[in-house]
Amino acid sequence: MKEDPKSISFPCLKISQPIGNFYIGSIGYKDLSDITWVDVRRIFDERDFEKYLGIQRPLSKKRVKELSEYVKTVDACFPTSIILSVSSLCAEYNEQTSEMTLQNYLDADNEEEKIIFGQIAKVIDGQHRIEGLKNYNGPHFDINVSIFVDIDVAEQAYIFSTVNLAQTKVNKSLVYDLFDYAKARSPQKLCHKIAVALDGDKNSPFYQRIRRLGVATKNRYNETITQATFVEALLKYISKTKMQEMHDRDLYLRGKKPKKIDADESRQLIFRNMMIEEKDFELTDIIWNYFEAVKTRWPHAWDSTGTGYILNRTNGFRALMRFLRNAYCQLANPGCWDVPKVEDFLEIFKKIEIEDGEFTSENFKPGSSGESELYKALKKGSLPK
């Protein structure tokens, strides 16, 4: 069946850079989805390992699912351009009106040279964002696009690599620190506030130990964990997944709040109801008391700034945070806002047969394996069977 001519027009600006001319425009999400396609080509080498030679990487279903949920949030935003490659046979730019028209190409005598409407624009960068918008049905969503006309595969690959390989990775600790400026409540903002409170109080077991921006702070010499490490370990007791964190934040932005969870679920998400009931001080006290008990039980390992000791560093901290759920569930009613005292946590730690000088990288190797071994060692003999 012969396809009818189809076209879309949208506002566009012509940009001149060393690579040549390209166009920056604004397209509605539905039109963008209708005209784009992705080139992912596969080959097999002599060992039968699959390799991808297309400009785009294979689509991540997990990432698409996350973005599909993200676009439903009240402040969803894609500020960076989707990058597209278009044939000049399909593109016409009007200098006077600053308008781009994209259309299918049906005039070729050779059927293989024709360009159908659904393949007008090849995606160089942004396939996950486009897929995440395919089932979107909210308010109008315009997407900014950068359109390159008649560039070959080598140029497409160069642009893709420049966008994806040469960019600087965002510092997670800085991202969490920026939640301080957020007006609405969220799990991330709550955990950030707790990190700041514990880092700033002279009596806290975490006083000046947290690298707020992920890098060393001038004139501070005892920073052994990053804010990202602290926040992400605590978030696991408030929101089950990244997607739930996003939903929680979206509810608060809409002037609502999440529903409380029952006792069974509270044994996993031990601090979720505290967030919902805004028991921020109580939650801070629990973390304070728990780590004050750690400091009391193993003072040398906790205060050590020399190399080799791991209790107050990333692996040790993560293992202790994993063990916090075990200890808290023994001492309190998860889902409520009981605050065990330092002495309560200390009674549990006294049962653990690890001496102060044993928290070393020789006994607990760097990486997740060492963290898991330490967690197992903390559990051993400390809790009722």
Side-chain angles (χ1 to χ4, degrees), residues 235-299:
L235 277 171
K236 291 179 180 178
Y237 292 139
I238 294 173
S239 300
K240 187 180 297 184
T241 61
K242 293 288 184 183
M243 200 171 292
Q244 189 174 49
E245 289 173 24
M246 181 173 63
H247 281 308
D248 291 342
R249 178 176 176 274
D250 187 56
L251 283 172
Y252 284 118
L253 283 169
R254 295 176 188 272
K256 303 175 183 179
K257 67 178 183 180
K259 293 180 181 179
K260 290 178 66 175
I261 57 176
D262 59 27
D264 287 341
E265 196 171 358
S266 291
R267 295 190 69 81
Q268 297 298 316
L269 299 176
I270 55 178
F271 299 139
R272 183 165 177 79
N273 283 345
M274 281 191 167
M275 177 194 73
I276 295 167
E277 293 294 325
E278 300 190 16
K279 300 295 181 179
D280 300 2
F281 291 110
E282 288 83 352
L283 177 48
T284 304
D285 284 344
I286 292 170
I287 305 300
W288 182 315
N289 292 348
Y290 178 77
F291 282 97
E292 187 65 35
V294 171
K295 181 179 179 179
T296 302
R297 174 66 176 87
W298 299 289

Side-chain angles (χ1 to χ4, degrees), residues 363-375:
N363 294 326
F364 303 100
K365 302 298 181 184
S368 58
S369 62
E371 174 193 328
S372 295
E373 287 302 313
L374 178 52
Y375 172 60

Side-chain angles (χ1 to χ4, degrees), residues 7 13 31 79 99 121 139 197 230 261-262 273 287 291 315 321 343 356 373:
S7 67
L13 294 175
D31 286 336
E99 187 177 68
F230 183 98
I261 57 176
D262 59 27
N273 283 345
I287 305 300
F291 282 97
N315 264 13
M321 285 298 289
E343 294 77 14
D356 212 333
E373 287 302 313

Side-chain angles (χ1 to χ4, degrees), residues 304-357:
S304 174
T305 57
T307 57
Y309 282 92
I310 57 95
L311 190 64
N312 60 6
R313 289 169 171 76
T314 301
N315 264 13
F317 173 77
R318 286 176 174 167
L320 287 166
M321 285 298 289
R322 288 174 66 180
F323 184 70
L324 171 58
R325 177 165 52 200
N326 300 87
Y328 185 73
C329 287
Q330 183 180 348
L331 298 172
N333 293 312
C336 301
W337 34 91
D338 299 336
V339 181
K341 298 177 181 178
V342 175
E343 294 77 14
D344 298 327
F345 286 120
L346 191 55
E347 286 302 310
I348 292 177
F349 289 135
K350 285 179 180 178
K351 300 174 185 177
I352 299 173
E353 297 178 356
I354 306 178
E355 298 306 317
D356 212 333

